[in-house]
Amino acid sequence: MEKDLLLWIQAQQDVLDRLVADAAADFRMEKDHANFVFDSRTVSREMWNLRNGKDLCYDRPSIGFIYSLWYHGRRVNTFLRYYLNLIIQSLDESKIEIFDLGAGTGAVQWAVGIVYAALRAHNVAVPPFSVVNVDSSPFMLQYNEHFLWKHFVRQYPVCAEITTVYRINSWVNEDSSATSNIWLSASYLFDHSENADEVAEEFEKLVEAFEPNKLLLLSSSGKSGLVNKVAKTLGDLGFARHKTVDELSDEVFKGLLHRVSEYRKALQKEADYGFSGDPGWNKDGLYGVVLVKRQGIFFTKDREKLDLYVTLEKDRSRIRLTPEQRKAAENKENHVIIVGPAGCGKSVVLTQRIKNIVEDPVWPYNPNLRMLVTTFNKDLAGHLGDWIEQLLDCPERCARQTFSRNGRKEPFCWFKFKGSNKNNIYVYHQDILPTKIGGLTSCDVTKNGQDIETFHLEMLHRIAEEYVELNKLDRKKMGKILDPVFLLEEYHRIIYGWQCLNEMSYQKKERIGRGSNPTLRYDSLRRRTVWGIIYTYLSQLTASGLGNFTMQRHRMLRRLGSPNSIEKFDYILVDEIQDCTFADYTTFQHLLNPGGKLVLAGDLAQSIHLGTSVHFPTSGFDKIRLKGSFRLPFRVSEAIKPLSQLINSEFKKRRASGETEIIYPYKGSPPGARPIVVYGRDYGQLAAKIRDIFFLYKVFGFGEMAIFENDWQLAKELAAYNVGCTVEIILKSKGLEKSCVIWSTRVGIDTKKDVSEFVYTILTRTTSILIIAICETVNSKFAEVLNLLTQDQEKTSIWDEETKDQISALQRGQFPTTDEEDLDDSEEVRSSDGAEPGVSIEEL
């Protein structure tokens, strides 16, 4: 029978050849877009990476189309003879389940399908088949399901009886019956060279847990060493090496794919697709190993969902911590500071530590416990409250309460344990600590509903103008210090942050982390001018019964420094500690009970409020480092690593109080797509290109885009194309996640010093797709960062030819890269002139 089946299958060679070409033509007609040829040509070039033993990212829209026209036939041919033998031997089974991990364009499904069709053509009874295709590339799965398999079933209708499933990243056995004949095909699972060993380790755990009966490992010939290493390890789990799949004698089909070759040549005549050579059936460039479980069929436990990569989970109670995270969440006696890059799980560890504290085995839900959980981000405080509630899911012992204003729930809350006469856990953001904890009376921070930031910037601008006029100052000598944004930052970072309570202390203070643009020398007229403007600003706010959030923090700290009845805490846990000044840290210390514990968590690379002037305490703290990014797609982490390294060196150069963590892709983080760089001459063209990206890439599972930073015009243009967008400000979104992020480089930022931290924080918000949008009006402060991100074009996905040209121009230095230096040449204010400490802001 086997010989007859083989002859029947070999007779289908030309038919299968035609089906590959027909599926490609179908895709070409359906998915045509303005950038199709460039995208296809780029994929053709990148596919050479496989032959050279490098990675292929599988993240461009035409990857399935181009890949199928060269590799699909080869991959079908690789395991076809073995599947024929294996299926013949398994005809008495009640069912056969094949899980194809790294399924790509579905070569395993085709191999199984043609064997199934041959058996049915010979009236052989076949057990029910199911094929679960799992891959990290939705583009490959889409091409498999909607084009190649559609044409295959149209030619062989009997194969519609095969149950087919398509999943990104995770697989699950839908039928949890006790017996199950599982064949596990790992196709190209180990192609990420940077984390291949870790992926192999996870794969071994998968095999141990799910006990498949047959294993088929396949990768490029350049990865044969890793495949053999995994195969050897699996021998300890009871698998025998049955066959090495690299002998040409195993090939069922021979020669070229003539129809596919003709189609490629026809396309190349129309435009430059980067095609060369003739595709064949031969297995050259591929390597495989077949392993068989020695013990045969197993009775297995009910199966649960298993993720090849980390998938996002909003329910905190269902997030599985790594051993490293569990250790970091242990409640120890010392103060603790938890550091790590974006997405490494700092907030997860922080909330798990809260659970461990509350559910202490000696005294769980201690009614005397007092805990403050705080962060510098308002919305993040709301998320932390939700997570704590999910973890402390014990309504009979713990009740959550929130406050509503005008029917809308505020993003802060508190928890009260059974038998307690006080609230036990407060989850507050920093802006409300002075009134909710510090006992201060609230004050308005704006007038007549005006935007808070606009109100204070306009007020400072007016006061600065009046001060210059009143004191007859030379504007040229004052330079950039009259910028209201600079003045607000100087007040928050230095005057409040380092508690400079009078002019003399400010004149003598080293402005750590504030850089030299503008320059402010010690005992200078410039510093006197800054002090005078800020003192006037604070005085006028106080006289009007107004304030700002920094003033309220200062008032709270002053009150804490004197005898008072403010409630103290056994534990204070602070998320996003990179926004913490020395004054804030002093506040936390004052709020602790004797013997109380501080638990701080943060990432200095995201210090967009304070930059290198952040206060990051180290003395007296146990420091816990978390590595890798679970949330950030693998390819995004990989692309922004140079920016992370730049920030790290800047912190060292400017003598910051701490050291940033360099981001490394976590071994199980979602592969995702590389950052997409797109250029448009104007809003209209840029929006049209982003529209195409949106509709092509939404297969990754997102429904709208988040535009940073505050680019309303771009959002308006995209809305005209029915593309859903939100317009975000990173200062408000920090610590939160977005499925698709657009960084609009057209809109500048207020800060002059912390561009790298600002951009890094935006880029690390994504959980799926990152788009870097460049317009002809690109802000000059971003040029250095853009150059850094695009210097290795293999790490980013350049959208089209025009974008490629503009990136080349950027790298040649045609965009301005720095602002002019603003040196302090103002006159000195000498101590020998009888300068007094001056008026104090202590009582304002």
Side-chain angles (χ1 to χ4, degrees):
M1 181 179 67
E2 181 175 344
K3 184 177 181 180
D4 291 340
L5 292 172
L6 182 60
L7 289 172
W8 187 92
I9 291 172
Q10 288 175 328
Q12 308 305 307
Q13 176 170 323
D14 291 341
V15 176
L16 297 177
D17 180 6
R18 173 177 57 79
L19 294 180
V20 175
D22 288 350
D26 190 10
F27 178 87
R28 176 69 180 84
M29 293 292 292
E30 183 175 321
K31 298 293 182 178
D32 186 22
H33 55 88
N35 193 39
F36 188 88
V37 174
F38 176 84
D39 193 71
S40 298
R41 182 168 64 250
T42 302
V43 170
S44 294
R45 176 182 57 79
E46 290 180 345
M47 276 209 330
W48 282 100
N49 286 340
L50 285 180
R51 183 174 291 272
N52 296 329
K54 298 181 180 178
D55 289 352
L56 181 59
C57 292
Y58 304 98
D59 64 348
R60 299 191 73 112
S62 62
I63 178 62
F65 170 73
I66 298 297
Y67 186 91
S68 71
L69 292 175
W70 187 261
Y71 277 113
H72 186 72
R74 297 184 184 204
R75 287 191 59 188
V76 171
N77 208 19
T78 300
F79 278 132
L80 181 51
R81 185 184 291 271
Y82 182 72
Y83 270 114
L84 173 61
N85 295 335
L86 191 60
I87 292 172
I88 290 174
Q89 296 168 19
S90 304
L91 292 176
D92 293 334
E93 300 290 344
S94 59
K95 62 180 177 180
I96 298 174
E97 298 175 284
I98 300 176
F99 291 89
D100 189 7
L101 309 183
T105 52
V108 167
Q109 190 164 280
W110 267 42
V112 170
I114 197 65
V115 173
Y116 190 93
L119 288 165
R120 293 299 307 276
H122 288 76
N123 298 315
V124 177
V126 187
F129 261 91
S130 64
V131 180
V132 179
N133 298 275
V134 183
D135 203 273
S136 61
S137 170
F139 293 125
M140 296 288 271
L141 287 177
Q142 183 186 64
Y143 195 84
N144 174 359
E145 179 181 10
H146 297 293
F147 298 95
L148 283 170
W149 189 244
K150 181 184 76 173
H151 281 268
F152 188 95
V153 173
R154 187 179 296 166
Q155 177 68 36
Y156 304 105
V158 69
C159 288
E161 297 171 359
I162 299 173
T163 301
T164 56
V165 181
Y166 306 87
R167 288 209 175 89
I168 298 175
N169 288 345
S170 63
W171 67 287
V172 61
N173 181 19
E174 300 289 359
D175 184 354
S176 59
S177 58
T179 59
S180 186
N181 186 17
I182 291 179
W183 303 354
L184 188 59
S185 171
S187 306
Y188 287 84
L189 188 63
F190 314 118
D191 270 3
H192 291 299
S193 61
E194 293 86 350
N195 66 341
D197 289 340
E198 291 86 353
V199 171
E201 182 181 339
E202 294 300 313
F203 176 71
E204 290 158 14
K205 292 178 183 177
L206 181 156
V207 172
E208 189 172 16
F210 285 79
E211 300 177 340
N213 300 311
K214 307 290 188 299
L215 282 173
L216 301 94
L217 310 181
L218 176 65
S219 191
S220 59
S221 56
K223 304 293 176 68
S224 60
L226 180 63
V227 173
N228 286 331
K229 179 181 177 182
V230 173
K232 183 178 179 181
T233 303
L234 292 174
D236 297 333
L237 298 178
F239 284 90
R241 189 180 185 118
H242 177 77
K243 194 177 190 62
T244 298
V245 185
D246 58 0
E247 303 96 344
L248 295 179
S249 59
D250 285 334
E251 292 180 344
V252 175
F253 303 130
K254 308 284 185 179
L256 300 177
L257 283 91
H258 297 287
R259 291 292 294 270
V260 172
S261 183
E262 290 171 5
Y263 181 68
R264 282 165 54 95
K265 290 175 181 177
L267 285 177
Q268 189 64 24
K269 286 181 180 179
E270 293 178 9
D272 181 13
Y273 281 80
F275 292 147
S276 62
D278 294 312
W281 291 98
N282 68 82
K283 297 181 295 184
D284 180 38
L286 301 177
Y287 182 81
V289 173
V290 178
L291 301 111
V292 178
K293 188 78 173 179
R294 296 190 186 97
Q295 292 89 336
I297 301 298
F298 269 74
F299 286 83
T300 59
K301 54 184 176 291
D302 288 352
R303 300 205 178 16
E304 60 183 33
K305 178 179 177 181
L306 185 142
D307 293 325
L308 297 181
Y309 302 96
V310 172
T311 52
L312 295 175
E313 177 59 67
K314 294 186 181 298
D315 186 343
R316 174 60 187 82
S317 63
R318 298 177 64 181
I319 294 177
R320 295 175 295 176
L321 276 68
T322 66
E324 179 187 45
Q325 290 174 329
R326 286 196 297 272
K327 185 174 179 60
E330 293 175 0
N331 183 28
K332 298 294 182 66
E333 292 299 317
N334 299 332
H335 299 310
V336 173
I337 188 162
I338 302 166
V339 297
C344 69
K346 294 181 293 295
S347 298
V348 170
V349 167
L350 204 67
T351 50
Q352 184 64 40
R353 185 177 277 260
I354 293 168
K355 177 180 174 65
N356 293 342
I357 293 170
V358 171
E359 297 182 352
D360 182 275
V362 177
W363 198 349
Y365 293 88
N366 175 4
N368 298 318
L369 178 70
R370 297 291 179 268
M371 181 186 296
L372 172 64
V373 182
T374 186
T375 179
F376 296 83
N377 183 289
K378 188 175 183 178
D379 291 333
L380 180 57
H383 284 278
L384 290 174
D386 292 340
W387 278 15
I388 293 169
E389 183 179 27
Q390 291 162 2
L391 286 175
L392 304 181
D393 184 18
C394 191
E396 68 276 8
R397 303 190 70 174
C398 177
R400 180 188 184 185
Q401 301 173 40
T402 56
F403 177 75
S404 297
R405 187 192 301 268
N406 299 325
R408 181 174 141 186
K409 188 171 75 171
E410 290 286 344
F412 60 84
C413 65
W414 54 95
F415 295 81
K416 188 174 183 179
F417 301 160
K418 183 179 180 181
S420 175
N421 58 5
K422 288 186 177 181
N423 295 321
N424 298 96
I425 304 176
Y426 297 92
V427 186
Y428 288 162
H429 55 90
Q430 280 288 303
D431 290 344
I432 64 172
L433 287 187
T435 54
K436 299 297 182 182
I437 299 296
L440 297 181
T441 303
S442 62
C443 64
D444 291 332
V445 293
T446 186
K447 278 185 176 179
N448 303 321
Q450 187 177 1
D451 176 73
I452 296 173
E453 183 179 14
T454 301
F455 171 76
H456 287 276
L457 290 178
E458 288 180 353
M459 184 177 180
L460 265 172
H461 175 73
R462 173 182 56 78
I463 291 171
E465 292 292 312
E466 292 172 353
Y467 189 92
V468 169
E469 187 69 28
L470 180 65
N471 291 278
K472 298 181 172 53
L473 298 176
D474 184 339
R475 287 180 176 277
K476 186 176 181 181
K477 289 186 175 182
M478 294 302 104
K480 297 180 180 179
I481 69 165
L482 301 178
D483 180 354
V485 173
F486 166 79
L487 290 166
L488 268 182
E489 289 179 348
E490 189 76 356
Y491 168 52
H492 181 72
R493 299 187 187 195
I494 304 299
I495 294 175
Y496 160 72
W498 290 104
Q499 290 294 281
C500 299
L501 302 180
N502 55 53
E503 181 189 340
M504 180 175 286
S505 64
Y506 176 61
Q507 286 279 11
K508 303 294 184 183
K509 182 64 186 175
E510 182 180 6
R511 301 170 61 254
I512 297 172
R514 288 289 276 154
S516 58
N517 186 17
T519 301
L520 279 81
R521 293 182 292 119
Y522 296 112
D523 295 323
S524 67
L525 180 59
R526 274 194 172 190
R527 290 215 191 194
R528 170 164 286 184
T529 301
V530 170
W531 178 266
I533 293 171
I534 291 175
Y535 180 82
T536 304
Y537 160 69
L538 298 178
S539 299
Q540 290 189 15
L541 284 174
T542 302
S544 302
L546 298 171
N548 64 32
F549 296 123
T550 304
M551 286 178 72
Q552 287 286 81
R553 288 193 208 176
H554 186 184
R555 290 165 178 165
M556 178 182 178
L557 179 55
R558 183 167 64 245
R559 187 174 185 197
L560 289 171
S562 60
N564 57 75
S565 59
I566 292 177
E567 182 177 8
K568 302 298 180 70
F569 296 92
D570 304 308
Y571 292 90
I572 297 178
L573 299 96
V574 185
D575 205 359
E576 303 293 317
I577 192 65
Q578 64 267 16
D579 296 330
C580 179
T581 65
F582 175 76
D584 295 319
Y585 174 66
T586 305
T587 296
F588 300 145
Q589 288 183 312
H590 281 309
L591 285 172
L592 272 181
N593 277 322
K597 300 296 181 291
L598 269 177
V599 180
L600 313 176
D603 175 18
L604 286 182
Q606 298 181 62
S607 181
I608 56 177
H609 283 288
L610 299 175
T612 49
S613 63
V614 62
H615 181 70
F616 211 63
T618 54
S619 178
F621 281 79
D622 290 340
K623 190 171 186 179
I624 299 175
R625 293 177 181 271
L626 298 176
K627 297 179 181 179
S629 179
F630 297 84
R631 164 176 50 81
L632 204 61
F634 182 93
R635 295 299 179 188
V636 175
S637 292
E638 188 178 50
I640 67 175
K641 182 180 175 182
L643 179 58
S644 173
Q645 292 169 321
L646 173 66
I647 295 171
N648 180 270
S649 65
E650 283 296 314
F651 265 69
K652 293 177 181 177
K653 187 189 304 181
R654 287 158 64 180
R655 295 187 297 114
S657 63
E659 182 179 335
T660 65
E661 303 298 312
I662 296 174
I663 196 165
Y664 291 93
Y666 173 66
K667 61 183 179 181
S669 62
R674 291 167 290 179
I676 303 164
V677 184
V678 58
Y679 170 84
R681 293 187 302 273
D682 51 37
Y683 277 123
Q685 189 196 40
L686 184 61
K689 290 183 179 182
I690 293 177
R691 169 203 60 193
D692 291 343
I693 295 172
F694 175 81
F695 287 110
L696 287 167
Y697 278 82
K698 68 179 183 179
V699 295
F700 279 85
F702 61 87
E704 66 176 11
M705 297 172 154
I707 302 178
F708 294 87
E709 169 79 7
N710 211 21
D711 195 338
W712 288 98
Q713 183 62 39
L714 180 58
K716 182 179 178 181
E717 295 284 343
L718 286 170
Y721 291 120
N722 295 317
V723 175
C725 292
T726 60
V727 178
E728 305 288 343
I729 300 173
I730 192 57
L731 293 177
K732 296 181 179 179
S733 300
K734 189 162 58 68
L736 304 179
E737 303 166 349
K738 304 292 179 180
S739 57
C740 178
V741 167
I742 300 174
W743 171 36
S744 173
T745 62
R746 187 196 67 84
V747 176
I749 60 175
D750 294 331
T751 179
K752 303 293 191 297
K753 310 287 186 315
D754 312 315
V755 173
S756 297
E757 293 94 317
F758 179 92
V759 174
Y760 176 85
T761 307
I762 290 176
L763 303 186
T764 54
R765 293 312 92 209
T766 185
T767 61
S768 180
I769 298 298
L770 171 62
I771 300 169
I772 300 175
I774 303 175
C775 213
E776 61 180 352
T777 55
V778 60
N779 189 281
S780 63
K781 288 176 287 188
F782 297 145
E784 181 181 354
V785 174
L786 286 170
N787 216 338
L788 186 67
L789 293 172
T790 58
Q791 64 184 2
D792 183 353
Q793 294 193 15
E794 294 292 332
K795 304 297 186 188
T796 57
S797 186
I798 306 299
W799 177 244
D800 59 9
E801 196 72 50
E802 189 175 21
T803 302
K804 183 179 179 181
D805 292 342
Q806 292 301 321
I807 292 300
S808 296
L810 178 73
Q811 293 169 345
R812 292 194 301 269
Q814 295 184 357
F815 289 95
T817 57
T818 58
D819 293 323
E820 290 185 22
E821 287 295 312
D822 182 20
L823 301 177
D824 187 354
D825 60 353
S826 64
E827 60 191 84
E828 293 184 56
V829 180
R830 300 181 185 278
S831 299
S832 58
D833 292 338
E836 298 293 333
V839 293
S840 172
I841 63 171
E842 183 71 15
E843 301 303 324
L844 294 178

